[in-house]
């Protein structure tokens, strides 16, 4: 009896070699957009103390309530695979004293995240995000800068049918007053709400705007709107963010029902969607989180950021053919010439050439075929008594000392 085959866990996926080039392109694009704007790369650990997320993301959120991969370490401490990037980055900002550096501190990351969600197209249990955070400045130009940069990234990746929605959530104080009004409205129409929304009226009434349940949507159509509750300062801040986006020529739609699944947001929030994506249409989003640093034990410090899903950006960008790696030289060899062949191969790679050598025990004919399959420009035939170098483009072959093969290939490349 043979052993049962193992599979990757549900909702996870392997990044295969044919997928890797597209991901490298995302990383390159993110760096090209973010680093000239002053964002520096940061990577935090894959797991953190669970408390970071229950305090940072918010105990009432879906993420903390039901989506975290949490486990106990050998010291019986509760740990969690990171479900998002902002709370860890803020923790690192405080832990490394970055609040003492000139503000804002701009950081970006490209990492994998973990949420125990129901897997479907574009929704995984391990997924990758590019994120950017600007911590330490409340100026509306920070919010606008971040929106513009995410749009640039989506554009440079040719993500199709992109739309931007923005909203302002006000401060925790104005939101508290609004929350009460909204809770009252939801309670008054409790019989028409989905069970899920009804059971969480007290815990998180704002999430009712996100529901796809028909009855709930009808109730929400007449719900009070947050914008009627925000303070003058918040209203002015949002007006300035909009004016800056207008000045930058970035089209957007104001969506007073836009909410996001994390508790830490204040003032501006935004979300980019793509019409290419179907049900899971969000490609990236974020917002301002002026209370988060303090919530995690630091001084009162404003912050703003976003995260964009790499799988979703690639899905919405459509297939883009990636060039195959170039093989400059294929080293074919006879059994007694392995060492010489290996020397030629190593020297070629050290010289920066794309070089391969047969490792499957192919016959001479088989090696020629393999070289052609790889599109090798040169093929060296290394035998016991010498070496022949074939230029496959010119269709020419000449005898060459094995030690001279690499120089010949390099010269030939220059001539080509
Ligand atoms: P969030 O951290 O929830 O604001 O998500 C930011 C972005 O990450 C979303 O717009 C998606 O593109 C992506 N994302 C979030 N959750 C998932 C998931 N479970 N699978 C794949 N991508 C995700």
């Amino acid at each position: 009896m043979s052993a049962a085959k193992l599979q990757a866990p549900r909702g996870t996926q392997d990044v295969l070699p044919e997928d890797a080039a597209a991901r490298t392109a995302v990383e390159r694009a993110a760096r090209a957009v973010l680093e000239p704007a002053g964002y520096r790369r940061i990577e935090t650990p894959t797991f953190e103390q669970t408390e970071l997320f229950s305090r940072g993301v918010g105990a009432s959120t879906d993420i903390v309530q039901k989506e975290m991969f949490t486990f106990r370490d050998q010291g019986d401490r509760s740990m969690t695979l990171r479900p998002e990037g902002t709370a860890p980055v803020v923790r690192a900002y405080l832990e490394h004293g970055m609040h003492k550096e000139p503000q804002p501190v701009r950081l970006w990351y490209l990492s994998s995240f973990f949420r125990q969600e129901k897997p479907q197209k574009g929704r995984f249990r391990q997924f990758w995000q590019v994120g950017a955070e600007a911590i330490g400045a409340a100026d509306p130009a920070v919010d606008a800068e971040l929106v513009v940069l995410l749009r640039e990234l989506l554009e440079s990746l040719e993500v199709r049918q992109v739309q931007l929605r923005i909203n302002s959530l006000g401060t925790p104080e104005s939101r508290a007053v609004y929350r009460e009004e909204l809770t009252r409205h939801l309670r008054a129409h409790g019989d028409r709400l989905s069970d899920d929304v009804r059971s969480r009226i007290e815990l998180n009434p704002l999430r009712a705007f996100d529901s796809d349940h028909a009855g709930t949507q009808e109730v929400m159509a007449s719900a009070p709107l947050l914008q009627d509750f925000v303070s003058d300062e918040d209203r002015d801040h949002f007006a300035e963010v909009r004016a800056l986006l207008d000045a930058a020529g970035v089209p957007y739609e104001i969506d007073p029902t836009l909410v996001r699944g994390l508790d830490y947001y204040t003032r501006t929030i935004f979300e980019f969607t793509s019409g290419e994506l179907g049900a899971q249409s969000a490609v990236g989003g974020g917002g301002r989180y002026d209370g988060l640093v303090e919530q995690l034990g630091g001084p009162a410090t404003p912050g703003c950021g976003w995260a964009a899903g790499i799988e979703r950006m690639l899905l919405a960008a459509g297939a883009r053919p990636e060039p195959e790696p170039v093989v400059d030289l294929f080293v074919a060899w006879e059994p007694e010439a392995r060492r010489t062949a290996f020397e030629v191969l190593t020297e070629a790679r050290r010289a920066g050439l794309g070089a391969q050598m047969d490792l499957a025990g192919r016959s001479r004919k088989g090696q020629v075929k393999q070289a052609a399959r790889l599109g090798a420009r040169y093929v060296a035939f290394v035998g016991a008594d010498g070496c022949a170098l074939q230029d496959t483009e010119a269709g020419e072959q000449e005898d060459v000392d094995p030690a001279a093969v690499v120089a010949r290939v390099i010269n030939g490349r220059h001539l080509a």
Side-chain angles (χ1 to χ4, degrees), residues 131-203:
E133 317 284 351
I135 309 174
D139 198 285
V142 174
D143 313 44
E145 161 181 306
L146 280 156
V147 172
V148 171
L149 290 171
L150 178 49
R151 182 165 181 265
E152 306 267 301
L153 175 63
L154 297 175
E155 261 183 12
S156 78
L157 292 170
E158 295 174 34
V159 174
R160 294 168 294 182
Q161 293 189 50
V162 169
Q163 279 190 323
L164 167 62
R165 289 176 304 141
I166 60 173
N167 190 19
S168 175
L169 293 179
T171 53
E173 293 75 38
S174 55
R175 208 147 73 203
V177 178
Y178 169 68
R179 232 178 111 116
E180 262 178 39
E181 284 298 313
L182 181 62
T183 308
R184 201 167 302 148
H185 177 79
L186 290 172
R187 268 201 233 108
H189 299 93
D191 51 332
R192 290 160 62 199
L193 301 173
S194 74
D195 293 344
D196 190 36
V197 168
R198 195 182 320 110
S199 68
R200 287 192 303 153
I201 291 181
E202 311 297 330
L203 206 55

Side-chain angles (χ1 to χ4, degrees), residues 130-325:
V130 177
E133 317 284 351
I135 309 174
D139 198 285
V142 174
D143 313 44
E145 161 181 306
L146 280 156
V147 172
V148 171
L149 290 171
L150 178 49
R151 182 165 181 265
E152 306 267 301
L153 175 63
L154 297 175
E155 261 183 12
S156 78
L157 292 170
E158 295 174 34
V159 174
R160 294 168 294 182
Q161 293 189 50
V162 169
Q163 279 190 323
L164 167 62
R165 289 176 304 141
I166 60 173
N167 190 19
S168 175
L169 293 179
T171 53
E173 293 75 38
S174 55
R175 208 147 73 203
V177 178
Y178 169 68
R179 232 178 111 116
E180 262 178 39
E181 284 298 313
L182 181 62
T183 308
R184 201 167 302 148
H185 177 79
L186 290 172
R187 268 201 233 108
H189 299 93
D191 51 332
R192 290 160 62 199
L193 301 173
S194 74
D195 293 344
D196 190 36
V197 168
R198 195 182 320 110
S199 68
R200 287 192 303 153
I201 291 181
E202 311 297 330
L203 206 55
N204 197 349
L206 277 163
R207 294 292 283 160
F209 281 113
D210 267 357
S211 171
D212 46 18
H213 175 260
T216 306
Q217 284 179 347
E218 276 169 35
V219 174
M220 296 323 282
S222 61
L225 292 176
L226 180 58
Q227 63 194 29
D228 300 324
F229 292 76
V230 302
S231 69
D232 289 347
E233 286 94 356
D234 293 344
R235 217 186 305 267
D236 291 349
H237 191 275
F238 191 44
E240 191 57 24
V241 172
R242 290 183 335 248
L244 292 167
L245 292 178
D246 293 338
V250 171
Y252 57 84
E253 184 196 319
I254 299 168
D255 179 355
T257 69
L258 179 65
V259 291
R260 294 182 49 78
L262 303 99
D263 266 0
Y264 50 57
Y265 288 115
T266 52
R267 294 189 158 176
T268 318
I269 56 167
F270 52 92
E271 187 153 271
F272 285 89
T273 53
S274 163
E276 291 284 319
L277 285 178
Q280 302 302 315
S281 64
V283 266
R288 183 162 276 291
Y289 45 82
D290 290 347
L292 182 59
V293 178
E294 208 172 1
Q295 219 166 298
L296 294 179
T301 310
C304 192
W306 52 253
I310 292 188
E311 292 83 0
R312 297 225 191 133
M313 287 194 286
L314 292 175
L315 272 172
R320 287 193 300 168
E322 291 293 328
E324 291 289 315

Side-chain angles (χ1 to χ4, degrees), residues 115 117 122-124 127 129 260 262 282-285 307-309 312:
R115 294 183 195 170
E117 296 191 273
R123 192 202 266 169
F124 307 99
F127 56 96
Q129 288 183 338
R260 294 182 49 78
L262 303 99
V283 266
R312 297 225 191 133

